[in-house]
Amino acid sequence: MLTKKGKYGLKALVHLSRLPPDRLAFVNDIAVANNIPKKFLDTILGELRNAGFVQSRKGKEGGYRLARPASEIRIGHVVRVLDGPLAPIPCASHTQYQSCDDCDEATCQVRHMMMEVRQAIANVLDNRSLAAMRDADNDDFPANLSVGL
C-alpha cells in the first residue's frame, strides 16, 4: 500500500511539474496547495533531492524545482525511493528479495500470486512518467476498475 509519504511525495512532484522549468516553489506553498504537513514535506523533499528528483536552493529566493524533465521521472522509481519495494511480500521483491521461513518458494502459490501482483504494479508505475500522471484526465481511469476501490 502506498504510504502517506509516497502519496505526498507524488503530489509534491506533480505540483513542481506544473511550474516553468526555471521557477522555484517554496515548501510552504507546496504544502498549503496540496494539504501536506510542512514539516513532513520538508523530510520528503530532502529524500527526493537526495535521490536526484528535485533540486533546492536556500535563501530568500530559494525553493524547490524538478531536477530533470517530468517526462524522464518514472513513478515506479519515486515510489521505490519513498516507500521501498513494490512487492506485497518480501519473497516476491526484485529489489529487496528475502526468502520466507514458512514455505517452499518453488511450490508456494501465495508467492507466485504475489509475484504476479508485483509485476502488474511495476508494469503500470514503471511505464508512467510524472508528466503523464500530471497530464492525465480523471476520466481516463477505466470505469470497470473504479468499482470496488
Side-chain angles (χ1 to χ4, degrees), residues 66-145:
L66 294 181
R68 58 185 189 266
S71 61
E72 295 177 13
I73 297 173
R74 297 286 165 208
I75 301 304
H77 189 190
V78 174
V79 171
R80 285 181 188 93
V81 164
L82 295 175
D83 281 350
L86 300 177
I89 58 177
C91 66
S93 176
H94 284 204
T95 59
Q96 293 189 18
Y97 169 85
Q98 293 179 15
S99 63
C100 297
D101 296 333
D102 59 342
C103 63
D104 175 14
E105 290 181 6
T107 61
C108 179
Q109 289 87 358
V110 174
R111 176 176 186 261
H112 291 259
M113 175 63 72
M114 292 303 113
M115 288 175 67
E116 189 176 340
V117 168
R118 183 250 168 242
Q119 192 58 46
I121 292 169
N123 285 340
V124 172
L125 299 181
D126 290 341
N127 290 299
R128 186 78 41 97
S129 70
L130 179 60
M133 182 177 168
R134 174 198 63 211
D135 299 338
D137 291 329
N138 288 335
D139 60 354
D140 285 351
F141 194 69
N144 62 338
L145 293 179

Side-chain angles (χ1 to χ4, degrees), residues 3-12 35-37 40-41 44:
T3 66
K4 283 197 185 251
K5 182 165 119 178
K7 182 178 180 181
Y8 291 163
L10 289 171
K11 284 183 166 198
N35 198 27
I36 303 170
F40 194 22
L41 183 58
I44 294 166

Side-chain angles (χ1 to χ4, degrees), residues 30-81:
I30 300 168
V32 169
N34 294 282
N35 198 27
I36 303 170
K38 183 187 174 298
K39 192 167 186 153
F40 194 22
L41 183 58
D42 280 326
T43 301
I44 294 166
L45 288 169
E47 288 185 38
L48 292 172
R49 184 186 61 242
N50 291 341
F53 293 117
V54 300
Q55 296 173 332
S56 65
R57 187 167 64 202
K58 293 184 181 199
K60 183 180 173 190
E61 300 295 320
Y64 285 88
R65 69 174 168 220
L66 294 181
R68 58 185 189 266
S71 61
E72 295 177 13
I73 297 173
R74 297 286 165 208
I75 301 304
H77 189 190
V78 174
V79 171
R80 285 181 188 93
V81 164

